[in-house]
Amino acid sequence: MRALPGKRASVSAGSPQELGERYRLVEKIGSGGAASVFLAEDLLLARQVAVKRLHADGPDDAARRFRREARISAGLSHANLVAIFDAFSDGEDLVIVMEYVPGRDLSELLGHGAPEREKAFRILDGLAEAVDHLHAAGIVHRDIKPSNVLLGPDDETVKLTDLGIARVLEDTATTQADAVPGSLPYMSPDQLSGGTVEQPSDIYSFGLVALEVLSGEKARRGSPAEIGHRTLNEPPPDIRDVLPGAPPAAAELLLRTLSRDPQERPMSARAVVAGLREAFAEADVETREEVPVPVVAEAPDHADPTTRERIPFTPPGPRRGEGSPWRWAGAAALVLVLVAVGLVALLGDGSDGVDPAGTEPSSQARSGDSNDAGGGSGQTASSDSADPAADALESFYVAAAEDDFTAASELASPNLIGQLGGESGLESTFATLESISFDELRTLSDDGSTAEVAFSTTAVHTDRTESCTGTATMVESEGTWLVDSLAGVECS
């Protein structure tokens, strides 16, 4: 829990200075209709904590949600979730002791407009990690919004908080007070209509937050009645309406994320961020490639300097992924490279793989290197390949096509298994797949622990044959690459 600007106040003389004989209240840092939050000192561990106290005259529903928050949070541990340290009753008060996060929340940051692009994606990465962790644990947050995202000093830390209205999927009991939980501007249509609220509802809310973080503008404005009507009846908001330069691929992904049909939304928040990051990176590459870079050619000694000719020159395109653009060491280095290339051509080397910059691009690409899947898949990953993340993705699909779901599950992370509904969900997802061949496998980025792989496949099912494209997020685990999530998969 964090401090709220303008809401800090010394603890009044009439209020208890210590709770549970362990926590000394320092000052009030926030207050709502049902509870107040205090900065406190943990006397036993000598650390600052946030203490959330339910008002003694709070409604019964608030007390129930208070206990639910403590119960659900106690079983969670993740770097992007606010940690719960203690929960107890102190006289008539219910108390939750939680991690103190100094700084501000995301809504305060967005009050100054959209953050710089890399910071925006860093924030979305942290929030996506928290959302997917909850979903893997079978928990729906139901109130994902900027004010529930806490940012530490310099906005480096990202913590999702407030599980007061979260629901464990196995716990289907509801009350009238829980009929429409959440915050209206960030509710999904299924949540607002009082229907079943499951993980896709959180993905919808995450999509609205992502749109706001990237554009600096709220997706929907107006009175509660207007927002409710638009949510239930109008097409989903398009980021290009508030950010005209947004890449079409990013807009299309967000439109799917904000679909009124929960089944059309991506399976994970991390998949949404990966797809958005790729779309913006590709757009940046295309923009740089379209801008020619003029190079001034030096005039001969006898020429009038005022008549020097300007020769337009466009250098090779930038690397894909997270690498910086190609950099040129200077005219002398360029001449040496060109001379070397010319010598190779004169000597008849015959190689098609000459790289004029003398550098490998950061992304790795492979096209048409899979076996023909017409008579059964039969593909195996090359053990000496320089692209192990792509090989692992290929092996995952091949194992599924061969009905070897044990092998497929060993190549899937717990996050993906949870998103697919467990081992049985994995099997049912690929039940009709008979064989698959890869027309393209391309690693877009690889930092050693995570990688993004783009793919294009031809898949033969028992009832159809389709061509699919998309991206996969891969994670490294004990020397093996695992499929963690899939994003932007489109089939025709």
Side-chain angles (χ1 to χ4, degrees):
M1 190 60 70
R2 84 297 188 196
L4 300 179
K7 296 187 177 181
R8 302 176 72 95
S10 299
V11 177
S12 62
S15 62
Q17 298 297 307
E18 292 187 11
L19 294 173
E21 299 181 352
R22 173 173 174 178
Y23 305 102
R24 177 180 294 138
L25 303 184
V26 177
E27 60 182 337
K28 182 184 290 187
I29 57 177
S31 181
S36 296
V37 180
F38 296 84
L39 172 64
E41 180 185 0
D42 183 337
L43 301 176
L44 179 63
L45 298 179
R47 63 180 176 181
Q48 288 187 322
V49 295
V51 171
K52 187 174 183 180
R53 293 174 59 189
L54 181 69
H55 296 161
D57 57 352
D60 292 340
D61 179 62
R64 180 173 56 80
R65 291 182 177 180
F66 205 76
R67 293 188 180 94
R68 175 190 290 169
E69 179 178 10
R71 177 174 57 85
I72 292 176
S73 301
L76 297 170
S77 178
H78 192 276
N80 297 112
L81 291 171
V82 171
I84 298 296
F85 298 142
D86 200 357
F88 57 91
S89 297
D90 187 79
E92 296 182 353
D93 292 335
L94 296 176
V95 178
I96 296 178
V97 182
M98 63 188 73
E99 177 183 8
Y100 174 63
V101 183
R104 56 182 172 176
D105 65 40
L106 181 56
S107 66
E108 295 169 52
L109 173 63
L110 295 176
H112 302 285
E116 176 269 335
R117 180 82 53 75
E118 188 52 41
K119 176 185 282 191
F121 277 119
R122 186 170 65 247
I123 292 171
L124 292 176
D125 280 335
L127 178 56
E129 289 286 342
V131 172
D132 287 351
H133 182 77
L134 290 177
H135 290 179
I139 297 169
V140 184
H141 189 282
R142 300 200 292 179
D143 199 17
I144 295 171
K145 58 183 178 181
S147 61
N148 277 340
V149 180
L150 310 186
L151 305 175
D154 300 322
D155 302 325
E156 293 293 330
T157 302
V158 181
K159 300 269 188 179
L160 178 61
T161 188
D162 198 352
L163 294 175
I165 63 171
R167 182 172 71 87
V168 180
L169 288 177
E170 288 77 5
D171 179 14
T172 58
T174 59
T175 67
Q176 183 62 33
D178 262 348
V180 186
S183 300
L184 181 60
Y186 300 93
M187 281 187 185
S188 67
D190 26 312
Q191 187 175 9
L192 183 58
S193 63
T196 302
V197 179
E198 297 184 340
Q199 285 105 329
S201 180
D202 278 353
I203 298 299
Y204 183 100
S205 300
F206 178 83
L208 290 176
V209 174
L211 187 154
E212 189 172 341
V213 170
L214 292 171
S215 69
E217 298 289 340
K218 293 184 183 296
R220 292 192 175 103
R221 297 179 182 271
S223 67
E226 290 171 334
I227 293 175
H229 176 79
R230 291 170 184 156
T231 301
L232 294 175
N233 300 289
E234 293 184 1
D238 191 326
I239 191 174
R240 289 169 291 193
D241 293 337
V242 291
L243 186 66
E252 292 166 4
L253 173 56
L254 282 173
L255 287 172
R256 289 197 305 274
T257 305
L258 301 176
S259 171
R260 281 201 292 267
D261 182 356
Q263 299 300 318
E264 293 182 2
R265 300 169 198 161
M267 293 185 296
S268 76
R270 278 185 291 186
V272 175
V273 179
L276 290 173
R277 189 188 292 273
E278 178 187 354
F280 275 92
E282 291 286 349
D284 290 342
V285 169
E286 292 172 2
T287 299
R288 288 195 294 267
E289 288 178 342
E290 290 172 359
V291 179
V293 180
V295 175
V296 178
E298 294 293 338
D301 292 340
H302 63 275
D304 185 343
T306 62
T307 63
R308 289 179 178 178
E309 180 184 6
R310 293 182 66 84
I311 303 174
F313 176 82
T314 303
R319 303 178 182 181
R320 295 188 183 274
E322 298 180 353
S324 60
W326 291 65
R327 301 201 179 272
W328 297 89
L334 176 60
V335 170
L336 289 174
V337 170
L338 293 176
V339 169
V341 173
L343 288 174
V344 170
L346 289 173
L347 293 174
D349 181 88
S351 171
D352 294 328
V354 177
D355 181 358
T359 309
E360 292 287 342
S362 61
S363 62
Q364 304 169 35
R366 185 173 55 186
S367 178
D369 62 348
S370 295
N371 296 334
D372 181 11
S377 56
Q379 300 95 333
T380 57
S382 173
S383 60
D384 58 354
S385 169
D387 199 352
D391 286 341
L393 176 65
E394 180 179 5
S395 297
F396 168 77
Y397 273 108
V398 169
E402 295 176 342
D403 294 337
D404 188 352
F405 297 111
T406 298
S409 66
E410 291 175 351
L411 290 168
S413 73
N415 181 61
L416 181 64
I417 294 295
Q419 292 166 5
L420 295 178
E423 301 289 347
S424 60
L426 171 66
E427 184 171 347
S428 62
T429 299
F430 297 101
T432 64
L433 182 62
E434 292 188 331
S435 63
I436 188 168
S437 60
F438 283 78
D439 305 310
E440 181 181 28
L441 276 173
R442 183 161 51 112
T443 294
L444 303 175
S445 63
D446 179 355
D447 63 9
S449 61
T450 61
E452 299 297 327
V453 178
F455 60 86
S456 174
T457 68
T458 300
V460 177
H461 293 261
T462 56
D463 55 349
R464 68 191 185 281
T465 298
E466 57 187 10
S467 298
C468 299
T469 60
T471 59
T473 299
M474 312 292 292
V475 295
E476 193 277 337
S477 175
E478 298 180 354
T480 301
W481 285 102
L482 306 178
V483 186
D484 194 57
S485 63
L486 303 172
V489 179
E490 295 184 349
C491 298
S492 60

